[in-house]
Amino acid sequence: MPAIFLLLALTFSVFGADLESVGSIPSSTLDSLGDTAGSYGSGSAYDAKAGILYLTSDRGPGDGTIDYSPRLFAMPMPQDSVKVIVNVSEPSSARLYKDVSGQPFTGLLPDSPDAEPRMKDGRRCLDPEGLALLHDGNLFLCEEYFPSVLQFKPDGTFLARFVPPDNYLPRNETGEVDFRPREDRTEGREDNRGFEGVALSPDGKTVYAILQSALTQDGGRGAGASRLLAINALTGTPQAEYAVRFTDPASLGERGTKLKTKNLVFSDLLCLPNGKILALERDNRGQDGSADPKKAVFKSVCVLDLTGATDLLSLPEKPYSLRKADPKFKPLNANQPIVYVKKKLLFDFHELDLPSKGLAWDQVPEKWEGLALL
């Protein structure tokens, strides 16, 4: 039976990454709400005190065309079992994300012109992607539709939303914020390319969110760099902003010839105790449920070091933070005279002996999206 969810457990040393175990969930598995348990692991966060691995769905099946209620999953994982991931066949505890009025969000593509992702019937839309655990046990969730960072209780109760600078917001041809799908978008996050990863600093004061790829006005998925936004975790105020380059496909040798920069995305973030940040960078290839998927080429975790990187929000006149119509606007691509975030590869999936754990190379899934420190 095909697996729709994959868990990899790894340990790291001076010798590199060691694959501890691989686990999968059969496609027939139902969650505690009675739905098939797809979309596990779009984001993940581990609560060591409670022994719970939190996993979030994305907007659900059909890429926003099916009325699915996004949800948070809680998977018991005590400290003594974190290196051994077993197949999960029992329903996982699922909690629906609920908006400020207590109504469940929908994963449908917004069809209303409201200045908030909504349906014409008033329901709010949500496309969850990344999770981070707060010190008080609540969770930060980043999402793509707005894009923004939201705070929820573990039971799915909405607490707050942190909104990014204006240049992040998707707009229509008249410059108005418009969350409906558009093929002619010229400003803001690209459709389905909003905030994809979120992480909390060790001191709990700063939450980081990374765009899956560049803003439309920066060149979109072909720009070669993305934005990492640092937000005050108490007030929601943007504090700093950095540029992170994508891996150059040419650096991957022969296998890189199958990729272009537009095929690469950032998927998740995780802060380390030393202040550096792990980032999951991957291609858009692999098992995706289609009849003829393209074989995966690049799935990796890298280490981001912000030391010395240019804070785009501190620059005179903030040229990379302006709206496109401003004459002083500059697109944030991979070739600007700034200091980009230092990025070092931690591991590439080609270094892992996946077949020895039962995962054939041609069965590697496309969506490596969740990252948790166990």
Side-chain angles (χ1 to χ4, degrees):
M1 185 174 293
I4 56 171
F5 174 57
L6 179 75
L7 279 172
L8 302 178
L10 302 103
T11 55
F12 299 94
S13 68
V14 293
F15 303 106
D18 289 323
L19 181 63
E20 294 283 349
S21 58
V22 175
S24 62
I25 294 178
S27 58
S28 59
T29 301
L30 300 180
D31 65 25
S32 59
L33 300 177
D35 284 332
T36 49
S39 289
Y40 269 84
S42 194
S44 57
Y46 183 57
D47 186 340
K49 293 180 181 178
I52 294 175
L53 178 64
Y54 288 107
L55 302 160
T56 185
S57 74
D58 57 13
R59 59 186 171 182
D63 284 337
T65 62
I66 294 175
D67 193 359
Y68 172 84
S69 296
R71 60 204 62 190
L72 177 70
F73 300 96
M75 181 180 295
M77 191 171 286
Q79 279 280 6
D80 59 359
S81 70
V82 296
K83 288 187 179 181
V84 182
I85 297 174
V86 298
N87 286 351
V88 178
S89 58
E90 295 298 319
S92 173
S93 175
R95 303 96 185 259
L96 299 182
Y97 293 113
K98 296 181 179 180
D99 65 18
V100 66
S101 65
Q103 299 303 308
F105 285 92
T106 178
L108 286 170
L109 288 160
D111 65 3
S112 167
D114 290 352
E116 181 184 0
R118 286 180 183 265
M119 302 302 294
K120 291 178 181 177
D121 61 14
R123 289 180 297 163
R124 291 178 170 89
C125 305
L126 184 71
D127 184 6
E129 292 298 343
L131 279 179
L133 183 73
L134 281 77
H135 293 174
D136 62 4
N138 292 322
L139 295 154
F140 276 127
L141 174 81
C142 69
E143 76 115 347
E144 295 206 278
Y145 282 146
F146 201 103
S148 55
V149 175
L150 297 86
Q151 188 175 350
F152 288 94
K153 291 182 178 180
D155 65 1
T157 300
F158 172 85
L159 295 174
R161 185 195 293 270
F162 295 164
V163 179
D166 283 348
N167 58 319
Y168 281 69
L169 302 182
R171 299 176 185 273
N172 57 28
E173 68 279 359
T174 63
E176 298 173 316
V177 174
D178 193 336
F179 296 100
R180 293 171 294 182
R182 302 189 69 88
E183 294 182 358
D184 58 350
R185 195 179 305 285
T186 60
E187 280 193 85
R189 61 104 178 104
E190 285 197 323
D191 289 0
N192 201 29
R193 295 277 175 140
F195 281 138
E196 191 78 8
V198 66
L200 186 67
S201 63
D203 62 8
K205 295 180 179 180
T206 304
V207 57
Y208 296 94
I210 194 166
L211 289 172
Q212 185 169 345
S213 56
L215 298 174
T216 307
Q217 63 266 32
D218 293 332
R221 58 194 69 189
S226 188
R227 293 173 184 257
L228 176 66
L229 187 65
I231 304 168
N232 185 301
L234 295 178
T235 66
T237 304
Q239 293 180 317
E241 184 182 38
Y242 306 96
V244 188
R245 285 188 174 115
F246 287 99
T247 296
D248 182 356
S251 69
L252 301 177
E254 183 176 352
R255 62 189 172 114
T257 59
K258 298 179 181 180
L259 297 178
K260 296 181 179 179
T261 298
K262 67 178 182 180
N263 301 130
L264 299 177
V265 300
F266 287 113
S267 279
D268 208 358
L269 297 177
L270 176 68
C271 283
L272 297 175
N274 63 5
K276 295 182 181 179
I277 302 174
L278 293 186
L280 199 159
E281 184 184 9
R282 63 172 177 86
D283 61 16
N284 59 0
R285 298 167 60 103
Q287 285 291 334
D288 57 4
S290 64
D292 188 24
K294 296 179 180 178
K295 187 176 179 180
V297 172
F298 184 63
K299 314 289 183 188
S300 72
V301 173
C302 54
V303 183
L304 305 182
D305 184 351
L306 307 186
T307 306
T310 300
D311 174 9
L312 304 176
L313 298 183
S314 70
L315 294 176
E317 301 179 332
K318 302 179 182 179
Y320 303 103
S321 305
L322 299 172
R323 296 277 307 281
K324 188 176 181 181
D326 193 301
K328 296 179 181 178
F329 162 78
K330 290 184 180 179
L332 183 64
N333 52 43
N335 303 304
Q336 295 296 338
I338 59 174
V339 180
Y340 292 82
V341 171
K342 291 187 286 291
K343 186 177 73 168
K344 182 179 180 180
L345 182 70
L346 183 61
F347 79 90
D348 180 346
F349 84 118
H350 268 266
E351 301 169 5
L352 309 177
D353 189 4
L354 298 177
S356 71
K357 302 294 185 180
L359 181 63
W361 289 117
D362 62 357
Q363 293 299 307
V364 170
E366 175 197 353
K367 295 294 186 75
W368 290 33
E369 293 202 349
L371 191 63
L373 184 64
L374 301 181

